[in-house]
Amino acid sequence: MRKAFITGITGQDGRHLAEFLQTKGYKVYGMMKGQYNPRAELLRDEFPEVEVVPGDLTDLTSLVTALEYVQPDEFYNLGAISFVAMSFNQAELTANVTGLGVLRALEAVRMVGGAQNNPIRFYQASSSEMFGKVRETPQTELTPFHPRSPYGVAKVFGHDITVNYRESYGMYACSGILFNHEGPRRGLEFVTRKITNTAARIKLGIDKEIVLGNTDAKRDWGYAGDYVKAMWMMLQQDDPDDYVIATGETHSVDEFLTLAFEKVGLGDFHQYVKHDPKYLRPAEVDLLIGDPSKAEKKLGWKREVGFDQLVDMMVKHDIAYETHRLKKI
Ligand code: F7E
């Protein structure tokens, strides 16, 4: 049985990836930090077959111990401080976990190695936030980086050190440059889920308004379930490489709002939206749009869920989710 080790197992992508790898017959191990992690119980309920392994991206010894125990075929490094807004307030923590954490993970792989003819294959979750103030449109694997947040800067380090370890030590290490990817499992702090969840709550009479920051920002939004397949595909190739994973379409936060409020049956969103400068970022990423043609050609990857379908899926989920919560009160 093939074994996969995932950091960030309780996040959106960790859960999608665990689900996908289990359908492929993998035994999945998820690293979890802390003495009491409230997400542990939720993970156990959702994925009873995932084995939880203690460890922390800020503690190299714990990573080595975890890898020695698991002896994985594949290592997916999805763990990070992933909320861009928070990275401005906790820049040092972000650098340590999201940036240096990748170096520690690679060092642990280098030390433990895996069987001689079956080295551990490493996937690094890189991000379109590395492009930041974009130098060209659409963005490809060759577009220079210009990050606009401590999160973006830390991800650039993670990407570069992954490439460096591949080139220096011949490690099988891939960097997946994933553009925004969403879905019902997205955390409520991210703008898409904040919109679909609050639209559902307004529809059900729980909330009256939604308070947002910059709604002119444009993102290339795909479905997380499609994107985790690309992670796995990268690790099945003969040679390790880096790939942009995106839809090739861009939409503004305003467009997302329009569609979500229409779908929930509230009509024009403007009457429900307020703006608060506390949601503005010290530096913003105005426009992202990725070119996934390398992944399409070399991996045979293609996104299945389009923008309209994504909003639809999230709105339907949040109506059901909030209705269920109301019934429990
Ligand atoms: O913001 C604007 C905000 O926080 C999207 C992470 O997964 O994708 C994600 O990063 C846009 C920004 O995601 C609110 O200013 C307006 O322009 O949903 P977000 P993100 O920053 O694009 C990348 C690829 C990652 O790697 C990250 O880990 O929406 N916006 N008003 C708002 N954003 C939030 N969160 N909340 C607002 O009220």
Side-chain angles (χ1 to χ4, degrees), residues 62-311:
S62 76
L63 294 170
V64 172
T65 308
L67 289 188
E68 276 173 344
Y69 170 69
V70 175
Q71 297 288 332
D73 300 284
E74 294 167 16
F75 179 163
Y76 295 88
N77 185 39
L78 314 185
I81 303 283
S82 67
F83 188 32
V84 173
M86 179 180 144
S87 79
F88 286 99
N89 296 323
Q90 300 187 36
E92 192 181 334
L93 179 68
T94 304
N96 196 10
V97 178
T98 307
L100 281 176
V102 188
L103 173 64
R104 295 188 194 99
L106 287 161
E107 273 299 311
V109 171
R110 204 159 74 91
M111 287 175 187
V112 178
Q116 213 171 16
N117 54 359
N118 184 26
I120 298 171
R121 295 187 167 205
F122 181 80
Y123 172 85
Q124 167 56 18
S126 292
S127 163
S128 53
E129 281 294 300
M130 301 190 303
F131 297 121
K133 193 171 181 180
V134 297
R135 304 274 181 91
E136 63 179 4
T137 295
Q139 295 86 51
T140 74
E141 293 78 7
L142 300 175
T143 302
F145 300 137
H146 186 147
R148 297 273 281 169
S149 62
Y151 170 82
V153 173
K155 281 288 179 187
V156 171
F157 176 80
H159 171 85
D160 284 345
I161 201 71
T162 301
V163 174
N164 179 256
Y165 269 50
R166 181 170 74 218
E167 292 174 356
S168 304
Y169 307 115
M171 285 171 55
Y172 192 108
C174 299
S175 173
I177 307 175
L178 270 53
F179 281 61
N180 296 53
H181 43 285
E182 319 292 316
R185 284 170 168 157
R186 192 58 145 149
L188 291 166
E189 68 274 34
F190 296 97
V191 80
T192 54
R193 184 79 200 289
K194 182 173 172 180
I195 292 171
T196 59
N197 184 262
T198 315
R201 289 170 68 85
I202 295 172
K203 178 70 182 175
L204 295 171
I206 308 166
D207 284 347
K208 292 203 161 34
E209 60 185 29
I210 179 166
V211 187
L212 293 165
N214 171 24
T215 55
D216 293 330
K218 290 184 162 172
R219 290 290 184 276
D220 180 329
W221 276 301
Y223 172 51
D226 286 345
Y227 284 36
V228 298
K229 289 183 195 158
M231 299 176 185
W232 175 77
M233 285 171 154
M234 286 179 214
L235 296 197
Q236 311 314 307
Q237 305 306 305
D238 289 339
D239 298 309
D241 205 347
D242 310 319
Y243 298 89
V244 159
I245 303 298
T247 69
E249 266 178 45
T250 194
H251 298 274
S252 65
V253 175
D254 268 329
E255 282 174 73
F256 197 101
L257 274 164
T258 307
L259 210 54
F261 275 74
E262 266 173 28
K263 284 186 184 290
V264 101
L266 288 168
D268 184 9
F269 72 85
H270 290 95
Q271 55 184 309
Y272 303 103
V273 173
K274 288 219 167 80
H275 291 272
D276 189 325
K278 84 172 180 200
Y279 291 113
L280 298 177
R281 297 172 183 180
E284 176 63 287
V285 173
D286 297 321
L287 163 80
L288 289 173
I289 175 165
D291 175 0
S293 34
K294 178 175 169 186
E296 289 176 356
K297 267 188 225 115
K298 289 183 86 178
L299 303 178
W301 177 81
K302 199 146 189 56
R303 72 104 196 260
E304 279 163 34
V305 175
F307 183 66
D308 189 279
Q309 217 183 330
L310 174 66
V311 181

